[in-house]
């Protein structure tokens, strides 16, 4: 298949999948399943720290019949935490122009830095949307910044389960209950900012609070 046609199908498929995220009857809404920052890092193909240099609205594909638009952000990559095997230095990232398709609005030409998680398409382009974890770097806690290098990656075998109402329980020994929504009525509360779901030597997982020293069973996992 010609590369240009592959690109058309890559964008078309992604936009179709994002359209399915919209709840029935809400044509102007973007809906995403909740996910802990640790899960975002584990499930994303790419995790970087970057500044936005400029933005430009472009066609979503080379197909003249395709009326969808994309925003192309030119970025200055500061650090890559994940994705080394897929891309090296990233110049552009792409997102839907339409907010109902979960397009992301970022500040260009400013000093603001972002943590960006996203996908790498078959043509090598980096794609982001509102269902990814995208945060101003200054809003991240010390533990979150440190965990991007170590704890998140090393504990992808753990599963974080969102607790909406009581009672809520774990169904497997490698699960941690995420209670920010239940206790604070917001997703990225104290637990998301200051805890990592960490794996023990026996395969079970539990929350580790960053300001406390690691217990020996945790050290056995992360240190050779």
């Amino acid at each position: 298949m010609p590369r240009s046609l592959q690109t058309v199908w890559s964008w078309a498929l992604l936009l179709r999948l994002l359209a399915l995220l919209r709840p029935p009857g809400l044509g102007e809404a973007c809906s995403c399943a909740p996910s802990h920052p640790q899960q975002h890092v584990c499930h994303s193909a790419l995790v970087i720290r970057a500044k936005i240099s400029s933005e430009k609205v472009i066609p979503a594909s080379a197909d003249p019949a395709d009326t969808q638009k994309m925003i192309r952000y030119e970025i200055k990559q500061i650090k890559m935490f994940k994705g080394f095997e897929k891309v090296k230095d990233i110049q552009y990232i792409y997102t839907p122009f339409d907010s109902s398709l979960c397009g992301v609005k970022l500040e260009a030409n400013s000093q603001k830095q972002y943590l960006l998680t996203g996908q790498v398409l078959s043509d090598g382009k980096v794609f982001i949307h509102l269902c990814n974890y995208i945060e101003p770097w200054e809003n991240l806690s010390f533990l979150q910044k440190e965990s991007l290098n170590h704890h998140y990656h090393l504990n992808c075998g753990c599963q974080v389960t969102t607790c909406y109402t009581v009672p809520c329980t774990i169904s497997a020994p490698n699960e941690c209950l995420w209670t920010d929504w239940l206790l604070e009525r917001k997703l990225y509360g104290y637990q998301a900012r200051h805890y990592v779901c960490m794996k023990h030597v026996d395969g079970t997982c539990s929350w580790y609070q960053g300001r406390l020293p690691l217990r020996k069973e945790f050290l056995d996992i992360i240190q050779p």
Side-chain angles (χ1 to χ4, degrees):
M1 182 181 294
R3 187 174 182 84
S4 61
L5 188 56
Q6 286 181 330
T7 302
V8 170
W9 280 108
S10 294
W11 291 118
L13 179 59
L14 266 170
L15 292 172
R16 185 179 296 273
L17 290 173
L18 287 171
L20 294 175
L21 292 172
R22 288 181 289 186
L26 292 178
E28 299 301 324
C30 170
S31 178
C32 307
S35 190
H36 188 274
Q38 179 173 334
Q39 290 177 295
H40 277 293
V41 171
C42 289
H43 297 160
S44 296
L46 185 85
V47 182
I48 62 172
R49 176 185 179 183
K51 291 172 60 175
I52 311 301
S53 301
S54 65
E55 63 178 275
K56 184 178 181 180
V57 178
I58 62 171
S61 74
D63 183 357
D66 186 359
T67 61
Q68 296 283 354
K69 301 291 185 182
M70 306 290 292
I71 299 176
R72 185 185 71 187
Y73 290 110
E74 183 179 7
I75 71 166
K76 179 182 179 182
Q77 179 179 307
I78 298 170
K79 184 171 183 178
M80 181 177 288
F81 300 98
K82 186 178 180 182
F84 304 96
E85 73 285 357
K86 295 182 179 294
V87 290
K88 296 191 182 298
D89 190 51
I90 302 166
Q91 184 178 4
Y92 299 108
I93 57 174
Y94 298 81
T95 191
F97 176 77
D98 191 346
S99 61
S100 67
L101 293 179
C102 301
V104 180
K105 306 302 182 188
L106 302 174
E107 290 185 25
N109 297 312
S110 74
Q111 295 302 309
K112 181 175 286 190
Q113 300 178 16
Y114 291 93
L115 173 69
L116 304 171
T117 68
Q119 292 76 43
V120 180
L121 304 185
S122 59
D123 59 2
K125 288 186 173 67
V126 175
F127 185 85
I128 64 171
H129 53 75
L130 285 176
C131 296
N132 296 126
Y133 188 56
I134 298 170
E135 284 287 324
W137 184 257
E138 62 186 15
N139 290 356
L140 300 178
S141 69
F142 176 79
L143 174 70
Q144 287 177 306
K145 293 174 182 178
E146 288 295 302
S147 296
L148 290 168
N149 290 309
H150 303 292
H151 296 323
Y152 286 161
H153 300 282
L154 292 171
N155 291 283
C156 287
C158 294
Q159 178 65 35
V160 179
T161 301
T162 309
C163 183
Y164 296 104
T165 59
V166 290
C168 55
T169 59
I170 60 173
S171 58
N174 69 330
E175 290 184 33
C176 295
L177 281 180
W178 182 23
T179 59
D180 278 342
W181 179 256
L182 180 66
L183 300 178
E184 301 183 44
R185 286 296 180 232
K186 62 181 180 180
L187 285 179
Y188 302 128
Y190 191 85
Q191 195 176 23
R193 290 171 50 77
H194 300 288
Y195 285 82
V196 175
C197 183
M198 193 167 286
K199 199 166 190 176
H200 298 257
V201 290
D202 61 1
T204 62
C205 295
S206 62
W207 291 113
Y208 154 65
Q209 189 175 15
R211 67 177 182 227
L212 299 177
L214 288 174
R215 298 201 301 268
K216 184 179 185 304
E217 59 265 35
F218 289 139
L219 290 171
D220 291 340
I221 286 290
I222 68 171
Q223 295 182 357

